[in-house]
Amino acid sequence: MIAKYLFDRIMAFVGLVVLSPILFVVWILIRIKMPDGPAVFTQKRVGKGGKLFTMYKFRSMSAHHSGSTVSVAGESRITPLGAKLRRYKLDELPELWNVFIGDMSFVGPRPDVPGYADKLEGDDRRVLQLRPGITGPASLKYRDEEVLLAAQANPQEFNDKVIYPDKVRINLYYLDHYSFVADIKMIIATVLGKRIEYNNEII
């Protein structure tokens, strides 16, 4: 995966430079519209090998809230500006820094909070061989995850029993059938909001 490693570092640097005006504007908007806390949200996530790292995102929720680790569309803790940032994935732009310093990759499993990936057992633990990604096959399949969860009577249970096991399945396939070309296709699909065929399913 040498090509993947070099691509991640080079393109993350380019992205940070090219997108710096957008990063600055979003930072200013958050400071104006959501002055109750920092513009950048940091949280410990599980990385490659189960090692914890600090992930950076633009804050999309009120600074003082308590709630589930599962986000549901329309919930009150997500601010109006935050909803727009999440809709267009602008809240994830600071993760380019995580890619640049090697904590994350452009493509891979989404980084979990402790209690998910680090608790996997048996063959499923092979997912931890992967560096977490900004996007990936599971992320593409469940790009409307918050809307799907909002339609459930018990979003947390549905996530834990249906969505998360399926994500593990998809990510194990990605690990065993890695392709740099597939990575590029998934990045393009993410940017353009398109769906692609992957492992005989549309994601």
Side-chain angles (χ1 to χ4, degrees):
M1 294 188 178
I2 298 298
K4 181 180 180 71
Y5 180 88
L6 293 175
F7 177 86
D8 283 344
R9 301 305 177 280
I10 294 171
M11 294 310 297
F13 177 76
V14 172
L16 287 168
V17 172
V18 173
L19 298 176
S20 57
I22 296 177
L23 289 163
F24 180 70
V25 169
V26 173
W27 184 85
I28 291 295
L29 287 173
I30 295 174
R31 297 300 299 146
I32 293 173
K33 298 290 187 179
M34 301 160 58
D36 59 328
V40 177
F41 169 75
T42 62
Q43 188 178 52
K44 291 296 183 182
R45 297 291 179 99
V46 178
K48 184 177 181 180
K51 180 181 178 182
L52 292 179
F53 71 97
T54 300
M55 189 185 75
Y56 300 91
K57 298 181 70 172
F58 280 127
R59 184 165 62 89
S60 61
M61 298 184 180
S62 57
H64 307 290
H65 71 81
S66 59
S68 169
T69 56
V70 174
S71 297
V72 177
E75 57 183 321
S76 59
R77 60 179 176 164
I78 300 175
T79 69
L81 174 60
K84 290 184 175 64
L85 296 179
R86 293 164 81 97
R87 178 182 178 185
Y88 297 104
K89 307 300 182 183
L90 295 175
D91 61 317
E92 297 181 4
L93 288 180
E95 292 172 36
L96 287 170
W97 176 252
N98 286 118
V99 177
F100 180 66
I101 64 177
D103 289 331
M104 292 178 62
S105 173
F106 275 103
V107 181
R110 284 299 296 163
D112 289 317
V113 295
Y116 281 89
D118 53 328
K119 299 299 183 181
L120 291 172
E121 299 179 348
D123 189 63
D124 289 348
R125 284 193 65 81
R126 293 193 300 120
V127 168
L128 293 174
Q129 296 177 30
L130 292 166
R131 210 176 301 275
I134 293 178
T135 188
S139 300
L140 286 171
K141 180 175 180 178
Y142 290 102
R143 67 183 74 193
D144 298 320
E145 180 178 336
E146 292 184 1
V147 175
L148 176 61
L149 288 171
Q152 308 305 317
N154 189 327
Q156 185 74 57
E157 182 179 32
F158 188 80
N159 175 76
D160 294 351
K161 293 185 177 181
V162 179
I163 294 180
Y164 192 74
D166 192 42
K167 286 182 177 180
V168 172
R169 175 189 65 81
I170 295 169
N171 288 324
L172 284 173
Y173 181 87
Y174 174 79
L175 173 64
D176 293 334
H177 301 84
Y178 173 72
S179 164
F180 182 70
V181 173
D183 269 13
I184 299 301
K185 290 181 179 178
M186 283 185 271
I187 292 172
I188 294 173
T190 300
V191 173
L192 298 180
K194 302 293 185 180
R195 294 198 176 274
I196 59 174
E197 183 177 345
Y198 184 75
N199 187 24
N200 298 316
E201 63 180 321
I202 301 300
I203 61 173

